[in-house]
Amino acid sequence: MGETATVEISLVRRLMSGDKDAFEEFVRLFRPKLFQYSYLMCGHREDAEEVAQEALVKVFENFSQLRDPARIKPWVFRIAKNACHMKRRRSVFAPARELSLEQLRPSFTGEGEGRRLEIADWSAVPEQLAQRSQLRDILKQAIAELPEMYRSVLLLRDVEELTTLETAEVLDLSEDAVKTRLHRARLAVRQQLDQYLRNSKEGT
């Protein structure tokens, strides 16, 4: 169990025991996580702020339903997922563009047994390039353009670091479906970043 997970579970136990100070600590810890998830899922800052707030309110309204402190993260993000879905249904804000399923298909070169997946060798990416804020922006954009079914899996697994089982429970999917969608989402995002890196090298 990681340090962050230990802190989260400790906070939940303190909340369960009636420690009022743990409330503010819990909000400080989870609000940024919920905002980031909601921002990339909803596609608009104002929506994300509302979703994060609504999710936290629902968490505390239903806190007595949480039986196992170790389940806090998937439980919280399930609430956030539902709040985000409700917000997207009634909001005028949504991602301006989403990649189609065809665009998520990996690119191959060659034919027959010589076919190979065309993905850049990221081991050669210069460290200073990987640290550019522009690259981070491209990454966020690539995630935001994923179809929702892939975007949600990527955010929960790679950003929030939920397990495959936890992600499956949050999204009401099988573990195999989570693995498949995660693989496709990673490929799509990597292709977007790959194109950016290629363009950057050509411009140097």
Side-chain angles (χ1 to χ4, degrees):
M1 183 182 298
E3 182 178 348
T4 301
T6 302
V7 171
E8 293 166 354
I9 293 170
S10 175
L11 277 174
V12 173
R13 287 175 175 157
R14 288 169 55 193
L15 283 168
M16 287 178 166
S17 67
D19 185 343
K20 295 181 179 179
D21 291 336
F23 174 84
E24 291 186 4
E25 292 180 42
F26 186 94
V27 171
R28 282 198 300 270
L29 179 63
F30 275 93
R31 186 192 291 275
K33 297 175 184 291
L34 291 172
F35 174 80
Q36 176 175 248
Y37 171 81
S38 303
Y39 185 38
L40 288 170
M41 287 301 297
C42 296
H44 198 275
R45 181 172 295 276
E46 283 76 7
D47 279 359
E49 289 172 350
E50 289 186 23
V51 168
Q53 183 67 24
E54 289 173 9
L56 283 170
V57 169
K58 288 186 179 297
V59 164
F60 289 112
E61 285 179 345
N62 299 281
F63 199 75
S64 61
Q65 297 179 13
L66 179 65
R67 304 302 180 196
D68 182 1
R71 304 289 303 155
I72 183 60
K73 201 163 186 178
W75 186 70
V76 165
F77 277 96
R78 187 178 182 86
I79 291 173
K81 178 205 72 173
N82 292 335
C84 196
H85 281 178
M86 292 299 295
K87 173 61 67 176
R88 282 174 63 90
R89 285 176 186 170
R90 63 179 185 265
S91 175
V92 297
F93 302 117
R97 169 177 173 265
E98 287 189 348
L99 293 174
S100 68
L101 292 180
E102 281 298 316
Q103 288 172 293
L104 282 175
R105 294 183 184 276
S107 299
F108 291 90
T109 58
E111 296 181 358
E113 294 182 359
R115 292 177 86 232
R116 65 180 180 81
L117 183 62
E118 186 178 2
I119 295 234
D121 179 8
W122 278 45
S123 64
V125 176
E127 182 178 353
Q128 65 271 22
L129 181 59
Q131 293 175 347
R132 288 183 185 174
S133 61
Q134 186 178 2
L135 183 57
R136 290 196 296 272
D137 291 340
I138 294 294
L139 174 59
K140 289 181 180 179
Q141 179 181 330
I143 293 174
E145 289 180 352
L146 288 171
E148 184 174 331
M149 61 189 290
Y150 296 105
R151 185 165 67 247
S152 57
V153 169
L154 185 73
L155 288 173
L156 293 175
R157 282 287 287 113
D158 286 354
V159 177
E160 295 305 329
E161 299 182 337
L162 269 65
T163 66
T164 299
L165 177 59
E166 289 171 341
T167 301
E169 291 174 352
V170 169
L171 300 176
D172 293 320
L173 297 171
S174 68
E175 290 185 72
D176 285 342
V178 167
K179 292 175 182 177
T180 298
R181 293 183 185 187
L182 180 63
H183 176 66
R184 291 176 180 173
R186 284 172 174 170
L187 280 178
V189 169
R190 194 162 181 173
Q191 286 172 350
Q192 292 281 81
L193 295 179
D194 177 71
Q195 185 60 50
Y196 168 72
L197 292 172
R198 291 180 191 275
N199 293 340
S200 296
K201 290 177 181 179
E202 289 173 2
T204 56

